[in-house]
Amino acid sequence: MQDNKRELGKYYTINSPFELEPFMDWFGLIPDDKKARMLEPFAGACNIPLFFTGYAFDCFDIAPPQDTNGYNVVVRDCIKDYPKGYGVAITNPPYLGKSSAARRHIGYPYPEYTDLYMKCLEVMLGNTDYVAAIIPDSFITSGLFVNRLDTVISLTFSLFCDTDCPVCLALFSPIQTDDFKYYVMDEPCGMFSELKEKETPESKDYKWIFNDPDGDIGVICIDNTQGPSIRFVNGSEIGRDTIKHSSRSITRVGSGVPTESLDEFLALANEELARFRNDTHDIFLTSFKGLRKDGRYRRRITFEQVRNILNFIMGKISGC
């Protein structure tokens, strides 16, 4: 059963994000006639319709479980044969990363996308005016399907019984747009374009050497389970034997920072990192499995983002 769920990319929703204010605002704008009968195209155990008392759903699934909470589920592959005539679809589509499928020797039929849920979004948006989808949090920075994207809500609570994949609720409407609202649960964080402007600005590249076992700048690239612990440290605090060519969770970086200025440089880099994280609500740092004790997702910083901060600080102290 578990192998079948992995192959189909299934994870069943057990908690509801549909009482959050940004979802209610979006749902309230949908005309009543479109909500008269709604679609769950990837229904699984039909947990999502249970959260909508008083609304009728038609449910479909490629391989529904035995217990579907009393709902009649039509057996259908909705990626290949999508139900027509619905104005609203609310769902938790299947997730299956292309690289994950390759590791598990699972067939992956849609190579144009890095994850199966993206193909599901394509099909839903091609046939349905209003779409609400619980999808991986990494969607926020994918750059895909933004022309009708109204709102993204990062969901920082346990949503599934069998995976701790970081997720968001993406809300689409038929109106074309070039921007979208971003929330963490009920907390409004601003428009995506506004947050984008608060990234560390690009600067001259000073040719840093990443994964250098003797690098004088160390970087802890992933939050721990307690709080936002990504940081810059003296390279000597990270054992040279822990640095591999493939290292991504920690690194040492070779630099041209004078030894006598290194402590000041690291302090300024950590100051800029904290500003960047606070001002952008971590939207541009990749979500990592599991919630921290402060209720937010663990995050990972990329080497490109590290490089931007290092370049910015080097330019700042050199007067460029």
Side-chain angles (χ1 to χ4, degrees):
M1 178 63 179
Q2 186 64 25
D3 289 342
N4 179 255
K5 285 181 67 176
R6 285 178 175 173
E7 185 170 353
L8 298 176
K10 289 186 172 188
Y11 298 102
Y12 296 152
T13 316
I14 59 170
N15 291 316
S16 173
F18 305 114
E19 296 177 1
L20 294 171
E21 186 174 339
F23 174 82
M24 296 299 293
D25 290 343
W26 172 84
F27 192 69
L29 295 175
I30 301 174
D32 287 340
D33 63 318
K34 290 186 178 293
K35 293 187 285 191
R37 195 156 197 91
M38 298 188 292
L39 172 66
E40 220 303 15
F42 308 101
C46 295
N47 288 328
I48 285 179
L50 291 175
F51 299 132
F52 290 84
T53 304
Y55 290 93
F57 274 83
D58 286 342
C59 300
F60 298 80
D61 196 272
I62 188 172
Q66 286 188 332
D67 183 5
T68 56
N69 287 301
Y71 285 87
N72 177 49
V73 179
V74 177
V75 178
R76 183 185 298 189
D77 182 348
C78 287
I79 296 179
K80 296 180 179 179
D81 184 17
Y82 191 83
K84 302 298 194 294
Y86 294 91
V88 183
I90 301 177
T91 190
N92 166 34
Y95 318 155
L96 178 63
K98 185 193 300 187
S99 58
S100 177
R103 286 196 306 272
R104 295 170 178 167
H105 305 289
I106 298 172
Y108 189 85
Y110 304 106
E112 67 271 29
Y113 293 117
T114 58
D115 197 290
L116 182 61
Y117 83 84
M118 295 175 176
K119 181 63 179 180
C120 299
L121 282 182
E122 177 198 295
V123 172
M124 288 190 290
L125 292 171
N127 293 277
T128 312
D129 285 345
Y130 294 90
V131 173
I134 300 169
I135 53 181
D137 197 67
S138 57
F139 163 75
I140 298 170
T141 54
S142 70
L144 297 175
F145 307 108
V146 295
N147 63 323
R148 286 172 48 195
L149 185 58
D150 180 270
T151 302
V152 173
I153 309 168
S154 184
L155 302 175
T156 56
F157 64 91
S158 181
L159 200 65
F160 305 113
C161 60
D162 45 10
T163 180
D164 56 357
C165 173
V167 293
C168 66
L169 178 58
L171 307 175
F172 301 86
S173 76
I175 301 171
Q176 296 288 315
T177 179
D178 58 0
D179 208 354
F180 61 89
K181 299 182 285 290
Y182 178 64
Y183 288 78
V184 176
M185 301 297 281
D186 274 326
E187 177 190 350
C189 300
M191 301 298 291
F192 181 81
S193 61
E194 296 170 345
L195 297 170
K196 191 73 176 170
E197 291 176 357
K198 296 175 181 178
E199 287 189 284
T200 300
E202 292 187 8
S203 307
K204 173 185 174 182
D205 187 5
Y206 287 87
K207 308 299 182 185
W208 312 91
I209 303 172
F210 282 77
N211 288 338
D212 176 0
D214 297 309
D216 51 349
I217 294 175
V219 191
I220 310 300
C221 300
I222 299 177
D223 285 335
N224 60 30
T225 58
Q226 304 300 308
S229 57
I230 295 170
R231 63 195 184 278
F232 295 92
V233 299
N234 191 298
S236 62
E237 294 183 31
I238 299 175
R240 68 183 317 277
D241 294 338
T242 65
I243 302 301
K244 311 296 183 200
H245 178 71
S246 59
S247 295
R248 289 299 180 269
S249 60
I250 57 172
T251 188
R252 289 179 67 166
V253 182
S255 79
V257 179
T259 302
E260 64 273 15
S261 302
L262 184 59
D263 287 346
E264 177 191 4
F265 185 94
L266 294 174
L268 289 171
N270 281 317
E271 184 179 297
E272 170 57 20
L273 172 62
R275 182 214 61 80
F276 164 60
R277 297 194 69 171
N278 180 72
D279 290 357
T280 64
H281 300 268
D282 275 351
I283 186 175
F284 301 111
L285 296 184
T286 304
S287 299
F288 198 68
K289 283 188 176 183
L291 291 172
R292 305 184 315 228
K293 282 196 173 180
D294 61 2
R296 297 296 181 106
Y297 284 128
R298 297 172 66 196
R299 297 281 176 169
R300 180 200 299 270
I301 193 170
T302 66
F303 282 5
E304 180 182 2
Q305 290 165 328
V306 169
R307 184 186 299 276
N308 283 343
I309 292 175
L310 295 178
N311 285 336
F312 179 68
I313 300 305
M314 182 65 93
K316 190 174 183 178
I317 65 174
S318 64
C320 298

